[in-house]
Amino acid sequence: MPLNTPGLITLGIESSCDETGIALYQMGRGLLAHALYTQVAMHNEYGGVVPELASRDHVRRIIPLVRQIMREADVPLTQISAIAYTQGPGLGGALLVGASVANALAYALDIPTIGIHHLEGHLLSPLLSDPAPEFPFVALLVSGGHTQLMRVDGVGRYTLLGETVDDAAGEAFDKSAKLLGLDYPGGPALAKLAAEGHAGLYKLPRPMLHSGDLEFSFSGLKTAVMTLVRQRSNDGEILLDRQTRADIAYAVQEAIVDVLAQKARAALAHTGLDQLVVAGGVGANQLLRTRLRKDIGKRGGKVFYPDLEFCTDNGAMIAFAGALRVAEQQGAKDYRFNVKPRWDLQEITL
Ligand code: KG4
Ligand code: ZN
């Protein structure tokens, strides 16, 4: 059966960081089932992801999750046509777990595997929603490790417009949250605390806002928060009351969202395109969503988001990107594999 036959089913495996995501995508029908196990509670104790623990936990979760979604979708293993897995970027050990299971299972089933770039998964995830954007569009990729503006002309046709020169937006959320004594992952925790904060009490920097290009910088923000917190701490103990921490959280969220929204708008102006796609974990931030809708809507543009559950790491985006590539005759019954902890999105083509 040729691999672009409608109806062919791709199994997707995501294990690049601290989430095990498994999904089944069928061409022509869509997502059949997906499941996610998050290790957040396990890593919370350590204040961040412990790579070795992450790998071991992926080993425990993948097969039961595969079984679970096969049952839910009522699809026997023998009906799967290809297996897509996250090949990078991410934690080397964690990636190897997903790659090993994908290749072993595919070898047993005599079907092809395909390695997917994690950011391509994020980038294409809004296409799983209805209404979906159409190519070409501008994508704002905002995750724990990346902050990039890309022009997307099609699958595998990505042009970098600008990116962060230091910390990622998610990292800025996470590091500021840690300074405010919040649990990992900091983004959602900081956003929640910010809801209790008041506007205008703290002025935080918005580096590179007027740099005239599409680059970002967030490390100065972290330093500014550090200074604010240090001024009010004793021997490393944070002496801020809850309201003050909420007011600072408010200012942090405002600063990050401000920069992201203004640069995203500038990217649309620069490319002359009118569709913006927001992808990656920070895309779950409600203030960012509201601000972009308002700002870009006012100018006649349209903003697309993945459904909330597909903003952060998940298997659906990997199954979907895999299905699109398999439909283009990609993937091989080779089963030799490597993972790419560092991998530039621009290196990939269709
Ligand atoms: O895409 P993702 O799940 O994992 C990576 O590939 O990095 O993104 C995780 C990042 C973390 O930095 C997390 O704090 C942030 O997304 N994040 C948020 C929110 N939800 C997740 N940041 C701000 N507001 C949120 N609601
Ligand atoms: Zn991600």
Side-chain angles (χ1 to χ4, degrees):
M1 192 160 32
L3 279 175
N4 59 356
T5 307
L8 290 192
I9 298 176
T10 304
L11 173 70
I13 300 179
E14 154 65 33
S15 71
S16 65
C17 190
D18 58 348
E19 249 114 30
T20 318
I22 311 285
L24 276 178
Y25 185 88
Q26 185 169 28
M27 268 302 180
R29 255 185 89 191
L31 205 57
L32 302 183
H34 64 98
L36 186 82
Y37 180 83
T38 177
Q39 306 174 354
V40 160
M42 179 177 78
H43 297 295
N44 196 352
E45 237 178 278
Y46 304 93
V49 179
V50 184
E52 178 65 20
L53 293 183
S55 311
R56 286 166 188 248
D57 206 56
H58 287 305
V59 172
R60 278 193 288 272
R61 308 293 168 192
I62 291 188
I63 302 287
L65 285 177
V66 169
R67 286 218 173 95
Q68 179 189 325
I69 63 161
M70 305 306 290
R71 245 191 342 262
E72 277 171 25
D74 199 18
V75 170
L77 275 176
T78 48
Q79 268 188 34
I80 301 176
S81 326
I83 303 183
Y85 61 95
T86 306
Q87 193 177 6
L91 303 171
L95 290 165
L96 275 171
V97 178
S100 313
V101 173
N103 280 282
L105 187 55
Y107 177 55
L109 295 169
D110 191 26
I111 56 175
T113 56
I114 178 147
I116 297 296
H117 194 296
H118 180 81
L119 293 181
E120 175 171 67
H122 276 306
L123 208 64
L124 299 177
S125 59
L127 297 173
L128 281 166
S129 302
D130 187 19
E134 282 173 18
F135 299 121
F137 54 77
V138 169
L140 173 66
L141 256 177
V142 271
S143 69
H146 292 83
T147 300
Q148 298 184 325
L149 279 160
M150 316 273 311
R151 180 189 166 107
V152 180
D153 286 286
V155 179
R157 295 172 62 204
Y158 313 125
T159 313
L160 184 67
L161 301 170
E163 65 183 333
T164 181
V165 297
D166 43 51
D167 290 353
E171 216 174 336
F173 268 111
D174 293 341
K175 288 180 175 170
S176 304
K178 203 167 181 174
L179 288 166
L180 291 171
L182 298 171
D183 282 346
Y184 157 87
L190 188 140
K192 204 165 152 212
L193 183 61
E196 299 170 24
H198 298 118
L201 295 182
Y202 296 95
K203 207 146 183 54
L204 291 172
R206 282 138 172 83
M208 299 188 77
L209 189 59
H210 303 295
S211 58
D213 55 24
L214 299 171
E215 309 286 303
F216 302 84
S217 165
F218 289 108
S219 67
L221 181 61
K222 170 194 64 197
T223 312
V225 175
M226 199 186 290
T227 309
L228 271 182
V229 174
R230 285 237 173 100
Q231 283 163 354
R232 295 164 181 79
S233 60
N234 191 7
D235 263 351
E237 194 198 342
I238 302 173
L239 298 178
L240 303 174
D241 58 44
R242 187 175 173 88
Q243 190 57 51
T244 309
R245 285 159 63 231
D247 295 340
I248 297 176
Y250 187 102
V252 170
Q253 182 173 240
E254 276 287 326
I256 298 174
V257 167
D258 237 15
V259 174
L260 293 175
Q262 293 209 39
K263 294 273 174 171
R265 228 169 41 214
L268 287 181
H270 171 78
T271 54
L273 300 177
D274 60 2
Q275 298 177 99
L276 177 76
V277 159
V278 184
V282 180
N285 186 274
Q286 291 301 340
L287 182 69
L288 179 67
R289 289 180 168 234
T290 316
R291 181 76 54 86
L292 284 175
R293 279 233 162 86
K294 207 170 94 202
D295 283 10
I296 287 168
K298 227 168 29 196
R299 288 167 171 77
K302 254 186 122 174
V303 191
F304 298 84
Y305 299 96
D307 293 339
L308 262 185
E309 60 183 334
F310 301 140
C311 264
T312 44
D313 291 349
N314 65 86
M317 66 185 193
I318 302 303
F320 178 58
L324 294 179
R325 288 186 167 270
V326 166
E328 298 292 334
Q329 310 299 322
Q330 292 193 3
K333 293 186 191 179
D334 185 330
Y335 314 123
R336 279 175 302 183
F337 59 90
N338 62 358
V339 294
K340 303 179 180 178
R342 289 177 165 275
W343 190 7
D344 189 343
L345 182 61
Q346 291 208 95
E347 282 171 25
I348 69 170
T349 52
L350 183 60

